[in-house]
């Protein structure tokens, strides 16, 4: 990361924040531009979008800077100079693009649907813009479209996007609707195709339509209903290269429309667009329920107020930059999962049928390979009601599809990534006693999902070989390690429910990771069906998402993935001394040229904070008697791999996981095993944090002498008593209490190092 560029962007983002400071104690610190653009070609940005959304809402109304979004997956790159329009839903921080439905763009002059080159088919109505004339805050986005001298403002409710366009005087003013805009149809990971679409002119101030398409989600249906505050004079509908003036309905696979106006100077036209995955009638109903009027400022204020309420669940004190990173992180963590249900509870189920949720909520956008690690444990602390709704939504997939979500988008299972990580999410909630879901039914779902073969989960081979052979399933080492962890989770819930035979089965399977440990190389290494080691072997060789035993990582990064039995991993290596020496090498061994691919960034030696397999590793010295090294590396990541600029994350933000790591770690603790209710102690960088737990209970953290040079713990108190353990438990937090740190510039090697204090067997 280039310091000069980074500093410049920090200053600019802070300036924007100061100029547009909204009312409210917490929303004032959210800067939606964090994570929207890398500073150089060798770094990642976060892949976030700056537009308007409400907490866990269906609509994310935001600008797209690319004609065919692909990378970044959010559709917006801070480094771009052109906006092609404003579409109504976006993914936050993912590595793969999708959505971008119902793009709108205000223009003046001649209508040019198909101007430009084949590589830029929409350039006829795109516009240059400048960050000096762009603003973003929770519930509001604004930009001046320089080519047309049009000021565009956006806000939203859960299911409705509201646009306000301020036009110049012009007899040829237009609002373009593009139903062909999508992720890259030629170069994307998943084949994208518009299967069918429709635009219908209802009257001179109403447009409806839909499109059906494939993409990362294998089949999506999106319906819209749009109302305009001013009647349009005429329309031009287009299908491919043909245009049809004043046609009232058009069907096809490449549809656009131009709605024509005669505008006075500084005349404002508003558009409210309701979305539904079910029908245009439901889209119309969503508008009627959520946005019957035309008060843009009130709508924006209401959205901001929703964010203020959610962000207030953790109150912190720290530097301005820390507050901006922290509250923007909470903002990103609460951007998804998204409520797919219309206001009447209708939603598209995983089997593509239309179902109804009695509680009017059905959540999707489950990036579980990422979020089970820290985002979902964070939700259990400060969003327990949402956790219940998430689990009930996951259970509906099990009912209609046969197994729990792996990576669910738009109610559709896309099979991205590995493992079955709805399991730790459900088990964690059940063990923490979160109410509102049927635990016995949930157990049946996690057991069934752990015994039934499905894509990426060959459980027949798992039972036969007691590891995943690479010649049966690619990414075999990563799958073996992650399924072993999932099995440990199943065992814990079986134990709680008194299902002893199941406990014995799954706790035995949770130890299968040992079968891929090669004592000669000192790594978990791929085996074939015949039991032989796959050769050649290079522990620094990276894998992507297939064709390698490792998933978006290498053997160094996956060596540490035994969160269910860290003491057992220490035993494999030969004890604490050997374990610490290996950790030391891990954090200092540099990559050789050409051995790092695009899935990894944010390096400290082999540690890659930009991707999830590394996220727990800084905390492992807590298990092996050298907690001061955990403190050093956690502080290093917090202070060097996060910032408040457009390049604020060291990798894709991944639907709240990157932010949740910061949220926990900045307060001084982190869930190494995200389903056992224990948090390893790291190095707090905030002066104060207060977590609202509901029922009048709070958990408070205070840190004395915090600072970039004071990363080492000198002493700890828990509820006023001296505390020497390197972890706290869920009960310590849930009961309410106070955790106090005294920090210093040199390690206190007497704290947390006694054998009786080392957490060899964490759990309930």
């Amino acid at each position: 990361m280039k310091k000069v560029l980074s500093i410049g962007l920090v200053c600019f983002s802070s300036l924007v924040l100061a100029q547009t400071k909204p009312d409210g104690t917490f929303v004032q610190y959210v800067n939606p531009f964090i994570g929207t653009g890398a500073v150089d070609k060798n770094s990642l940005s976060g892949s976030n979008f700056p537009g308007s959304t409400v907490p866990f809402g269906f609509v994310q109304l935001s600008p797209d800077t690319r004609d065919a979004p692909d990378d970044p997956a959010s559709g917006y790159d801070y480094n771009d100079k052109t906006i092609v329009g404003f579409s109504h839903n976006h993914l936050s921080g993912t590595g793969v693009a999708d959505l971008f439905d119902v793009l709108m763009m205000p223009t003046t002059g001649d209508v040019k649907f198909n101007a430009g080159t084949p590589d830029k088919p929409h350039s006829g109505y795109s516009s240059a813009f400048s960050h000096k004339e762009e603003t973003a805050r929770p519930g509001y986005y604004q930009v001046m479209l320089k080519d047309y001298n049009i000021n565009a403002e956006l806000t939203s409710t859960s299911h409705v996007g509201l646009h306000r366009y301020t036009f110049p005087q012009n007899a040829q003013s237009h609002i373009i609707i593009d139903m062909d805009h999508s992720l890259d149809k030629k170069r994307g990971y998943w084949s994208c195709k518009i299967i069918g679409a429709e635009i219908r002119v209802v009257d001179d101030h109403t447009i409806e339509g839909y499109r059906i398409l494939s993409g990362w989600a294998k089949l999506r249906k999106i319906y819209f209903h749009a109302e305009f505050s001013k009647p349009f004079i005429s329309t031009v509908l287009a299908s491919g290269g043909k245009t049809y003036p004043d046609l009232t309905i058009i069907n096809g696979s490449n549809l656009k429309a131009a709605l024509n106006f005669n505008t006075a100077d500084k005349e404002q036209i508003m558009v409210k667009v309701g979305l539904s995955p079910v029908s245009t009638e439901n889209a119309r109903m969503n508008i009627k329920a959520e946005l019957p009027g035309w008060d843009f400022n009130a709508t924006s204020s209401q959205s901001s107020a929703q964010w203020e309420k959610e962000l207030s669940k953790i109150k912190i004190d720290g530097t301005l930059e820390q507050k901006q990173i922290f509250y923007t992180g909470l903002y990103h963590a609460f951007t998804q999962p998204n409520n797919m249900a219309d206001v009447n509870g209708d939603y598209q189920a995983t089997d593509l049928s239309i179902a109804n949720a009695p509680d009017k909520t059905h959540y999707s956008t489950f990036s579980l390979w990422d979020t089970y690690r820290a985002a979902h444990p964070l939700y259990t602390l400060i969003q327990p009601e949402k956790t219940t709704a998430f689990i009930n939504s996951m259970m509906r997939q099990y009912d209609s599809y046969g197994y729990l979500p792996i990576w669910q988008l738009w109610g559709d299972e896309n099979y991205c990534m590995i493992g079955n990580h709805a399991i730790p999410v459900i088990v964690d909630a059940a063990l923490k006693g979160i109410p509102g879901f049927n635990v016995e039914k949930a157990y049946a779902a996690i057991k069934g999902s752990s015994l039934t073969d499905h894509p990426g989960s060959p459980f027949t081979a798992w039972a036969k070989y007691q590891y995943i052979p690479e010649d049966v399933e690619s990414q075999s080492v990563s799958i073996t390690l992650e399924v072993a962890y999932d099995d440990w989770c199943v065992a814990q819930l079986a134990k709680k429910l008194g299902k002893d035979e199941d406990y014995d089965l799954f706790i035995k399977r949770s130890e299968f990771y040992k079968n891929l440990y090669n004592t000669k190389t000192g790594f978990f290494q791929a085996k074939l069906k015949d039991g032989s080691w796959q050769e050649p072997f290079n522990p620094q060789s990276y894998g992507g998402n297939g064709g390698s035993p490792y998933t978006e990582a290498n053997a160094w990064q996956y060596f540490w993935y035994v969160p269910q039995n860290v003491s057992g991993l220490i035993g494999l290596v030969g004890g604490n001394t050997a374990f610490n020496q290996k950790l030391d090498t891990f954090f200092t061994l540099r990559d050789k040229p050409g051995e790092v691919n695009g899935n990894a960034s944010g390096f400290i030696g082999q540690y890659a904070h930009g991707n999830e397999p590394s996220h727990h590793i800084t905390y492992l010295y807590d298990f092996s008697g050298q907690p001061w090294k955990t403190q050093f590396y956690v502080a290093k990541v917090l202070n060097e791999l996060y910032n408040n600029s457009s390049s604020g994350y060291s990798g894709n933000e991944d639907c709240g996981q990157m932010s949740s790591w910061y949220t926990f770690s900045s307060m001084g603790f982190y869930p190494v095993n995200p389903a056992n209710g224990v948090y390893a102690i790291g190095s707090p960088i905030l002066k104060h944090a207060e977590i609202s737990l509901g029922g009048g209970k709070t958990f408070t953290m205070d840190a004395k002498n915090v600072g970039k040079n004071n990363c080492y713990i000198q002493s700890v108190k828990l509820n006023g008593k001296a505390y020497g353990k390197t972890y706290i438990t869920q009960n310590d937090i849930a009961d309410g209490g106070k955790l106090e740190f005294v920090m210093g510039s040199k390690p206190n090697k007497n704290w947390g190092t006694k054998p009786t204090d080392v957490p060899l067997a964490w759990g309930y």
Side-chain angles (χ1 to χ4, degrees):
M1 200 172 291
K2 294 182 179 178
K3 291 286 186 181
V4 175
L5 287 173
S6 179
I7 290 171
L9 286 171
V10 169
C11 293
F12 172 71
S13 63
S14 299
L15 177 62
V16 169
L17 196 65
Q19 290 174 337
T20 61
K21 180 178 177 180
D23 294 333
T25 303
F26 305 103
V27 293
Q28 66 174 308
Y29 298 116
V30 176
N31 179 0
F33 290 113
I34 292 177
T36 59
V39 297
D40 62 61
K41 65 180 181 180
N42 295 317
S43 64
L44 298 176
S45 69
S47 195
N48 298 108
F49 62 84
S52 176
T53 190
V54 299
F56 308 104
F58 185 52
V59 164
Q60 306 84 35
L61 179 54
S62 190
D64 294 337
T65 60
R66 304 286 175 90
D67 296 316
D70 181 16
D71 184 17
S74 66
Y76 178 96
D77 191 324
Y78 192 88
N79 299 296
D80 288 342
K81 308 298 183 185
T82 301
I83 286 175
V84 302
F86 309 101
S87 61
H88 286 77
N89 41 39
H90 295 79
L91 292 169
S92 178
T94 57
V96 180
D98 207 345
L99 308 182
F100 313 113
D101 294 313
V102 193
L103 181 134
M104 288 192 171
M105 182 67 169
T107 69
T108 59
D110 294 335
V111 176
K112 298 178 181 178
F113 285 129
N114 295 303
T117 67
D119 292 333
K120 291 189 175 182
H122 304 164
S123 59
Y125 56 80
S126 63
S127 174
F129 76 106
S130 168
H131 295 305
K132 295 179 181 179
E133 298 177 293
E134 184 185 31
T135 305
R137 60 179 183 262
Y140 180 79
Y141 173 85
Q142 171 275 328
V143 67
M144 176 61 70
L145 301 173
K146 298 173 71 173
D147 287 12
Y148 308 115
N149 193 29
I150 295 173
N151 189 53
E153 299 171 281
L154 312 174
T155 189
S156 60
T157 66
S158 183
H159 295 85
V160 185
L162 181 60
H163 308 238
R164 182 166 68 183
Y165 301 138
T166 303
F167 283 87
Q169 183 175 347
N170 199 303
Q172 288 185 300
S173 294
H174 320 282
I175 295 177
I176 305 295
I177 301 176
D178 188 342
M179 297 296 285
D180 186 52
H181 180 71
S182 71
L183 73 146
D184 195 321
K185 297 179 179 69
K186 298 178 180 178
R187 295 184 292 121
Y189 290 107
W190 274 256
S191 175
C192 178
K193 181 180 180 180
I194 310 297
I195 298 168
E198 178 181 283
I199 298 175
R200 180 188 297 267
V201 181
V202 178
D203 53 41
D204 63 1
H205 63 273
T206 310
I207 301 288
E208 290 183 344
Y210 67 85
R211 70 175 182 175
I212 303 169
L213 69 163
S214 63
W216 192 13
K218 58 182 177 289
L219 183 67
R220 290 197 306 116
K221 298 179 181 180
I222 179 71
Y223 300 86
F224 79 95
H225 175 85
E227 299 177 5
F228 296 76
S229 62
K230 177 180 179 174
F232 36 86
I233 299 170
S234 61
T235 64
V236 178
L237 304 187
S239 178
K242 296 183 178 181
T243 59
Y244 303 90
D246 294 320
L247 197 66
T248 59
I249 188 170
I250 194 165
N251 292 273
S253 59
N254 182 357
L255 303 184
K256 302 176 182 65
L259 313 180
N260 305 320
F261 302 87
N262 185 343
T263 57
D265 187 39
K266 294 184 172 55
E267 181 176 2
Q268 292 184 335
I269 299 177
M270 288 188 284
V271 190
K272 48 187 175 182
V273 182
L275 296 188
S276 168
V278 174
S279 67
T280 53
E281 291 80 9
N282 277 18
R284 189 183 316 125
M285 175 185 59
N286 290 340
I287 290 181
K288 185 176 181 180
E290 293 183 358
L291 194 58
W294 291 97
D295 194 330
F296 183 96
N297 293 338
T299 303
S300 178
S301 294
Q302 290 166 7
S303 176
S304 179
Q306 290 183 58
W307 281 112
E308 181 74 9
K309 178 182 178 182
E310 299 302 326
L311 298 176
S312 69
K313 293 179 177 180
I314 305 181
K315 301 177 177 67
I316 69 165
D317 187 17
T319 67
L320 175 60
E321 181 180 9
Q322 288 169 348
K323 290 178 180 178
Q324 290 174 354
I325 297 170
F326 187 95
Y327 285 110
T328 304
L330 281 187
Y331 175 83
H332 286 146
F334 298 163
T335 297
Q336 67 291 298
N338 307 112
N339 182 15
M340 289 282 298
D342 291 324
V343 294
N344 67 350
D346 289 348
Y347 66 94
Q348 178 183 293
T350 315
D351 62 1
L352 304 179
S353 65
I354 302 302
N356 185 271
D359 60 357
K360 307 299 188 289
T361 56
H362 179 75
Y363 287 93
S364 191
T365 321
F366 289 121
S367 182
L368 289 164
W369 185 79
D370 309 293
T371 56
Y372 85 94
R373 304 167 196 263
H376 279 281
L378 180 64
Y379 299 146
T380 63
L381 283 179
I382 57 177
Q383 298 283 1
E385 297 84 3
K386 290 291 190 298
T387 294
T388 298
F390 298 158
I391 292 172
N392 286 330
S393 299
M394 293 177 187
M395 291 296 298
R396 293 181 188 124
Q397 171 166 324
Y398 181 78
D399 291 340
S400 66
Y401 212 61
Y403 48 88
L404 292 163
I406 298 168
W407 212 123
Q408 191 199 85
L409 174 61
W410 205 266
D412 181 32
E413 181 57 66
N414 64 30
Y415 305 109
C416 189
M417 306 311 299
I418 61 170
N420 289 259
H421 299 317
I423 291 172
V425 171
I426 294 172
V427 169
D428 183 41
L431 295 179
K432 287 175 179 173
I434 291 178
F437 66 96
N438 186 317
V439 176
E440 284 285 352
K441 183 178 178 182
Y443 177 76
I446 66 173
K447 178 182 176 181
S449 298
S450 301
L451 296 174
T452 305
D453 284 354
H454 52 276
S457 299
F459 288 119
T460 300
W462 182 238
K464 178 178 180 179
Y465 299 102
Q466 300 189 1
Y467 62 90
I468 302 297
E470 182 67 15
D471 48 353
V472 169
E473 185 79 30
S474 183
Q475 306 176 75
S476 61
V477 175
S478 295
I479 294 173
T480 294
L481 293 167
E482 295 196 21
V483 170
Y485 173 69
D486 292 337
D487 281 350
W488 179 90
C489 293
V490 180
Q492 304 315 300
L493 189 52
K495 183 178 181 180
K496 180 180 177 67
L497 297 176
K499 301 179 186 297
D500 295 337
E501 289 186 8
D502 286 354
Y503 173 80
D504 292 340
L505 168 66
F506 285 104
I507 202 68
K508 179 181 178 181
R509 288 187 6 171
S510 75
E511 297 290 296
F512 285 177
Y513 70 89
K514 296 177 181 178
N515 296 330
L516 290 187
Y517 182 66
N518 187 339
T519 57
K520 293 183 179 179
T521 63
F523 289 95
F524 294 109
Q525 188 173 334
K527 276 184 179 179
L528 305 178
K529 287 186 294 186
D530 63 8
S532 62
W533 299 109
Q534 185 186 55
E535 298 289 353
F537 173 70
N538 177 359
Q540 290 177 252
S541 178
Y542 271 78
N545 300 97
S548 166
Y550 305 97
T551 302
E552 297 189 7
N554 64 15
W556 268 109
Q557 286 144 15
Y558 259 101
F559 173 77
W560 315 98
Y561 192 80
V562 190
Q564 74 275 20
N565 191 1
V566 178
S567 60
L569 181 62
I570 293 173
L572 279 183
V573 175
N576 284 350
T577 299
F579 187 78
N580 289 331
Q581 288 174 348
K582 189 153 190 161
L583 272 172
D584 292 344
T585 302
F586 174 75
F587 282 108
T588 55
L589 179 64
R590 298 179 66 87
D591 282 288
K592 296 178 181 178
E595 291 189 342
V596 178
N597 68 10
N599 292 313
S601 57
F603 278 92
I604 303 172
Q606 290 294 299
Y607 179 87
H609 192 70
N611 213 5
E612 279 67 26
S614 289
H615 275 192
H616 67 294
I617 304 174
T618 52
Y619 286 90
L620 294 185
Y621 287 108
D622 276 357
F623 292 77
S624 53
Q626 294 186 339
W628 64 90
K629 291 182 179 178
T630 279
Q631 296 154 31
F632 173 82
Y633 284 115
V634 167
K636 186 175 180 67
V637 173
L638 285 166
N639 290 317
E640 297 180 12
L641 297 179
Y642 290 84
N643 65 63
N644 61 351
S645 80
S646 68
S647 61
Y649 300 108
S650 56
N652 291 324
E653 203 276 335
D654 284 322
C655 293
Q657 170 57 27
M658 194 76 72
S659 294
S660 297
W661 190 97
Y662 185 94
T663 299
F664 275 119
S665 296
S666 66
M667 296 189 294
F669 49 92
Y670 182 82
V672 169
N673 178 338
N676 76 338
V678 181
Y679 304 86
I681 288 176
S683 177
I685 61 171
L686 301 174
K687 294 179 182 178
H688 174 81
E690 183 178 317
I691 304 173
S692 298
L693 301 169
K697 293 183 179 180
T698 61
F699 182 79
T700 300
M701 184 285 298
D702 285 302
K704 186 177 180 181
N705 301 329
V706 291
K708 290 186 177 180
N709 295 324
N710 291 348
C711 68
Y712 295 108
I713 293 172
Q714 304 302 296
S715 62
V716 179
K717 289 183 180 179
L718 180 63
N719 297 325
K721 297 181 180 179
Y723 191 79
K725 297 179 181 180
T726 57
Y727 63 94
I728 58 174
T729 69
Q730 174 69 15
N731 289 336
D732 293 329
I733 296 175
D735 291 342
K738 188 173 185 179
L739 182 65
E740 298 174 88
F741 295 92
V742 176
M743 308 301 293
S745 60
K746 296 181 180 180
N748 176 4
K749 296 184 179 180
N750 294 317
W751 181 84
T753 60
K754 296 180 181 179
T756 55
D757 290 336
V758 177
L760 297 180
W762 291 7
Y764 287 88

